[in-house]
Amino acid sequence: MDHIHNITSQELNSKMQFAVQEERRCTVEVLRLLREIERRMVYAELGYPSLFAYCTSELGYSEAAASRRIEAMRAMRETVEIEKKIESGELSLSAVSQARVAIRAHERETKVKVSPEQKKSVILQLSGLSKRAAEKVLVRELPVTLNARPIPERQLSNGGTRLTLELTEDEMAVIEDLRRLQSKIQNTKDLLLNLVRKEVAKRKRELGEVPLIREPKPKANKDAPSAEKLATPPTENARRFSASVKRLAWTNSKSQCEYVSGAGRRCEARHRLEFDHRKPVALGGESSADNARILCREHNILQAVQKLGAPAMAPYRAGLEP
Ligand SMILES: [Zn+2]
């Protein structure tokens, strides 16, 4: 790389242009590979409870970078043009991700599904736009009620953000009510942040995005809840096992998914767990203790696909096939 000190500015610029083009080409390649990893459930095969866990633990992406890539990959799966726009640099991963988040918020609020054509049109409209300009398009195209409109934000020189919150009397009363009901006195900012943190942790657990290893309490005593109590007990697919078989399987598994990859990685999922027949009932497996085990949702599907074949499991894998 020594010679870069000696080349002209023009040469330096053209090298830069070339490198950026390569970078975009690589990004699209990453998204294509990610799509196939998801379709074939390679992340589950390797012992991860979700594509997100694979992206952060195996590939080393930050949580935000992993989310952006997964969102962009799914958008690309739905719309061919998006791939071209990402490769040309017209569409950024964050714009695509921003659009998909807005689409979901709109669907949640209006309870109406956004059509594939409208999704495509909205995402493609963000080509070449800044984050702020994209935000404006999204508010226009996917109108939300006044309350759900983004709160004015201003970036501060110290890297922070200033939010301006205007609340009606009734809205403020809700916050005051919560403050009154909580034993700990908190200012409005801490109160709201703590609610958000709880919600984030809850959603992550539901989506299997965190390893779910609880930090030990600073002063653990024998009354502290055990890992077994903190994990969610298995729910579905349990009909055929007797209560004693289920209890035994639950204890033996230490309330953690029992899938182990070929390389010896055991899945870390402790939530969305299900009872599973090692040898499927469809293939003559019995509901006995030695045929019972605990798997997370993803590994239950993976095992079923491997044993029963993809066509039998297609209803559970909707939208993933090309
Ligand atoms: Zn698992």
Short mmCIF file of all heavy atoms in Angstrom, two decimals, residues 205-227:
data_model
loop_
_atom_site.label_atom_id
_atom_site.label_comp_id
_atom_site.label_asym_id
_atom_site.label_seq_id
_atom_site.Cartn_x
_atom_site.Cartn_y
_atom_site.Cartn_z
N ARG A 205 -36.10 -11.64 23.57
CA ARG A 205 -36.29 -13.02 24.06
C ARG A 205 -37.27 -13.75 23.15
O ARG A 205 -37.04 -14.88 22.76
CB ARG A 205 -36.84 -13.00 25.49
CG ARG A 205 -35.78 -12.89 26.55
CD ARG A 205 -36.32 -13.32 27.90
NE ARG A 205 -37.51 -12.61 28.31
CZ ARG A 205 -37.51 -11.42 28.90
NH1 ARG A 205 -36.38 -10.81 29.15
NH2 ARG A 205 -38.64 -10.84 29.25
N GLU A 206 -38.35 -13.06 22.78
CA GLU A 206 -39.37 -13.70 21.93
C GLU A 206 -38.80 -14.10 20.58
O GLU A 206 -39.15 -15.12 20.02
CB GLU A 206 -40.56 -12.74 21.71
CG GLU A 206 -41.44 -12.61 22.92
CD GLU A 206 -42.43 -11.46 22.81
OE1 GLU A 206 -42.47 -10.78 21.76
OE2 GLU A 206 -43.16 -11.25 23.78
N LEU A 207 -37.90 -13.25 20.06
CA LEU A 207 -37.34 -13.51 18.73
C LEU A 207 -36.07 -14.37 18.79
O LEU A 207 -35.47 -14.67 17.78
CB LEU A 207 -37.02 -12.19 18.03
CG LEU A 207 -38.23 -11.33 17.70
CD1 LEU A 207 -37.80 -9.96 17.23
CD2 LEU A 207 -39.09 -11.99 16.63
N GLY A 208 -35.67 -14.75 20.01
CA GLY A 208 -34.47 -15.56 20.15
C GLY A 208 -33.20 -14.80 19.79
O GLY A 208 -32.22 -15.36 19.37
N GLU A 209 -33.23 -13.46 19.97
CA GLU A 209 -32.07 -12.66 19.57
C GLU A 209 -31.04 -12.50 20.67
O GLU A 209 -30.02 -11.86 20.48
CB GLU A 209 -32.54 -11.27 19.10
CG GLU A 209 -33.28 -11.35 17.80
CD GLU A 209 -33.57 -9.98 17.23
OE1 GLU A 209 -33.16 -8.97 17.82
OE2 GLU A 209 -34.24 -9.94 16.19
N VAL A 210 -31.30 -13.03 21.86
CA VAL A 210 -30.29 -12.93 22.91
C VAL A 210 -30.03 -14.33 23.46
O VAL A 210 -30.91 -15.17 23.47
CB VAL A 210 -30.73 -12.01 24.07
CG1 VAL A 210 -30.48 -10.57 23.73
CG2 VAL A 210 -32.18 -12.23 24.43
N PRO A 211 -28.81 -14.59 23.88
CA PRO A 211 -28.49 -15.92 24.38
C PRO A 211 -29.30 -16.28 25.62
O PRO A 211 -29.40 -17.44 25.97
CB PRO A 211 -27.01 -15.83 24.73
CG PRO A 211 -26.50 -14.57 24.11
CD PRO A 211 -27.67 -13.68 23.91
N LEU A 212 -29.92 -15.28 26.29
CA LEU A 212 -30.77 -15.54 27.45
C LEU A 212 -30.05 -16.10 28.65
O LEU A 212 -30.60 -16.81 29.45
CB LEU A 212 -31.91 -16.49 27.06
CG LEU A 212 -32.80 -15.87 26.01
CD1 LEU A 212 -33.51 -16.92 25.24
CD2 LEU A 212 -33.74 -14.90 26.65
N ILE A 213 -28.77 -15.77 28.75
CA ILE A 213 -28.08 -16.14 29.98
C ILE A 213 -28.25 -14.96 30.91
O ILE A 213 -27.82 -13.86 30.58
CB ILE A 213 -26.60 -16.44 29.72
CG1 ILE A 213 -26.50 -17.59 28.74
CG2 ILE A 213 -25.87 -16.74 31.02
CD1 ILE A 213 -25.17 -17.71 28.07
N ARG A 214 -28.93 -15.19 32.01
CA ARG A 214 -29.18 -14.08 32.93
C ARG A 214 -27.91 -13.74 33.70
O ARG A 214 -27.18 -14.62 34.11
CB ARG A 214 -30.26 -14.48 33.93
CG ARG A 214 -31.56 -14.83 33.27
CD ARG A 214 -32.40 -13.60 33.15
NE ARG A 214 -33.60 -13.91 32.39
CZ ARG A 214 -34.77 -13.37 32.66
NH1 ARG A 214 -34.92 -12.55 33.65
NH2 ARG A 214 -35.79 -13.66 31.91
N GLU A 215 -27.71 -12.44 33.88
CA GLU A 215 -26.60 -12.01 34.70
C GLU A 215 -26.89 -12.49 36.12
O GLU A 215 -27.99 -12.32 36.60
CB GLU A 215 -26.55 -10.47 34.74
CG GLU A 215 -26.47 -9.84 33.39
CD GLU A 215 -25.04 -9.61 32.98
OE1 GLU A 215 -24.25 -9.29 33.87
OE2 GLU A 215 -24.73 -9.76 31.79
N PRO A 216 -25.89 -13.07 36.80
CA PRO A 216 -26.16 -13.46 38.17
C PRO A 216 -26.42 -12.23 39.01
O PRO A 216 -25.81 -11.19 38.80
CB PRO A 216 -24.86 -14.16 38.60
CG PRO A 216 -23.85 -13.76 37.59
CD PRO A 216 -24.55 -13.33 36.35
N LYS A 217 -27.38 -12.34 39.94
CA LYS A 217 -27.68 -11.19 40.78
C LYS A 217 -26.49 -10.95 41.71
O LYS A 217 -25.84 -11.91 42.14
CB LYS A 217 -28.94 -11.47 41.60
CG LYS A 217 -30.12 -11.67 40.68
CD LYS A 217 -31.39 -11.15 41.29
CE LYS A 217 -32.42 -11.01 40.21
NZ LYS A 217 -33.77 -11.10 40.67
N PRO A 218 -26.19 -9.68 42.01
CA PRO A 218 -25.02 -9.39 42.82
C PRO A 218 -25.02 -10.15 44.14
O PRO A 218 -24.00 -10.63 44.57
CB PRO A 218 -25.11 -7.88 43.05
CG PRO A 218 -26.24 -7.37 42.22
CD PRO A 218 -26.92 -8.51 41.55
N LYS A 219 -26.20 -10.24 44.78
CA LYS A 219 -26.23 -10.98 46.04
C LYS A 219 -27.19 -12.15 45.86
O LYS A 219 -28.34 -12.10 46.28
CB LYS A 219 -26.73 -10.07 47.17
CG LYS A 219 -25.63 -9.25 47.80
CD LYS A 219 -26.17 -8.46 48.95
CE LYS A 219 -25.23 -7.32 49.30
NZ LYS A 219 -25.86 -6.36 50.19
N ALA A 220 -26.71 -13.19 45.20
CA ALA A 220 -27.57 -14.35 44.96
C ALA A 220 -27.81 -15.08 46.27
O ALA A 220 -26.89 -15.27 47.06
CB ALA A 220 -26.91 -15.28 43.96
N ASN A 221 -29.07 -15.42 46.51
CA ASN A 221 -29.34 -16.27 47.68
C ASN A 221 -30.12 -17.48 47.21
O ASN A 221 -30.45 -17.61 46.03
CB ASN A 221 -30.09 -15.49 48.76
CG ASN A 221 -31.40 -14.94 48.23
OD1 ASN A 221 -32.12 -15.64 47.51
ND2 ASN A 221 -31.72 -13.70 48.56
N LYS A 222 -30.40 -18.37 48.12
CA LYS A 222 -31.01 -19.61 47.65
C LYS A 222 -32.46 -19.43 47.19
O LYS A 222 -33.03 -20.31 46.56
CB LYS A 222 -30.90 -20.70 48.73
CG LYS A 222 -31.56 -20.37 50.07
CD LYS A 222 -31.36 -21.54 51.03
CE LYS A 222 -32.10 -21.36 52.33
NZ LYS A 222 -31.70 -20.19 53.11
N ASP A 223 -33.04 -18.26 47.47
CA ASP A 223 -34.40 -18.00 47.00
C ASP A 223 -34.41 -17.45 45.57
O ASP A 223 -35.47 -17.29 44.97
CB ASP A 223 -35.11 -17.00 47.92
CG ASP A 223 -35.24 -17.58 49.33
OD1 ASP A 223 -35.39 -18.82 49.43
OD2 ASP A 223 -35.18 -16.80 50.30
N ALA A 224 -33.21 -17.13 45.05
CA ALA A 224 -33.17 -16.55 43.70
C ALA A 224 -33.71 -17.55 42.69
O ALA A 224 -33.50 -18.76 42.84
CB ALA A 224 -31.72 -16.20 43.35
N PRO A 225 -34.44 -17.05 41.66
CA PRO A 225 -35.02 -17.99 40.70
C PRO A 225 -33.93 -18.74 39.95
O PRO A 225 -32.92 -18.18 39.57
CB PRO A 225 -35.81 -17.08 39.76
CG PRO A 225 -35.29 -15.71 39.98
CD PRO A 225 -34.72 -15.66 41.36
N SER A 226 -34.11 -20.02 39.75
CA SER A 226 -33.14 -20.82 39.02
C SER A 226 -33.34 -20.63 37.53
O SER A 226 -34.36 -20.08 37.11
CB SER A 226 -33.33 -22.29 39.37
OG SER A 226 -34.58 -22.71 38.87
N ALA A 227 -32.36 -21.06 36.75
CA ALA A 227 -32.47 -20.94 35.29
C ALA A 227 -33.72 -21.65 34.79
O ALA A 227 -34.40 -21.18 33.90
CB ALA A 227 -31.23 -21.54 34.64
#
